[in-house]
Amino acid sequence: MSQAQPKRVMASVNDPPTRDDEVDPGDDKAPMKLAFEGSLSLPEAVAYFEGVLSGLKSGTLRFRRGHESITLEPAPHVEIEVKASRKGRKEKVSFELRWSSLCEKDLEIG
């Protein structure tokens, strides 16, 4: 029996969302998630992560898939977690970045 091939899914990074696709950024309490899992060629994966890197450098990460999008603004200090593993012939690396947004209105002095 042959194994089913993973579904090929493409999500773009840092493409400016259209007005209809953008989730309201003013609603800080509403949880927003956009997940991506799929199979890409190595050059496609490199281009995807270059888009993430470009967004980190510019201070704005825009993720979009179909009619869904989310825009994140990384804080000046981020936590990073990297995991690498090998099990038989399968190899894996995972990256996670976390930060907390501090709105100017949340900071009071005096």
Side-chain angles (χ1 to χ4, degrees):
M1 253 187 224
S2 68
Q3 289 183 314
Q5 293 296 317
K7 183 179 177 185
R8 187 175 209 111
V9 180
M10 192 60 187
S12 60
V13 178
N14 291 331
D15 286 343
T18 64
R19 179 181 294 170
D20 293 337
D21 295 339
E22 181 66 32
V23 177
D24 180 12
D27 189 1
D28 293 336
K29 293 184 168 93
M32 296 183 292
K33 286 186 179 183
L34 183 62
F36 168 72
E37 187 173 319
S39 177
L40 302 173
S41 69
L42 186 56
E44 288 172 323
V46 168
Y48 187 84
F49 283 106
E50 285 174 340
V52 171
L53 181 59
S54 174
L56 286 169
K57 288 179 178 180
S58 73
T60 303
L61 289 165
R62 290 184 187 95
F63 295 91
R64 179 179 176 162
R65 188 178 73 196
H67 294 292
E68 298 177 303
S69 69
I70 186 170
T71 300
L72 306 174
E73 296 176 353
H77 179 79
V78 298
E79 296 177 37
I80 183 169
E81 183 177 326
V82 179
K83 296 179 184 177
S85 64
R86 179 183 306 134
K87 185 176 183 182
R89 295 182 62 188
K90 293 186 179 186
E91 298 176 337
K92 178 180 176 177
V93 63
S94 301
F95 300 94
E96 185 172 328
L97 295 170
R98 291 180 298 275
W99 60 87
S100 293
S101 299
L102 177 64
C103 297
E104 289 181 29
K105 63 183 177 188
D106 294 337
L107 180 63
E108 292 183 28
I109 299 174

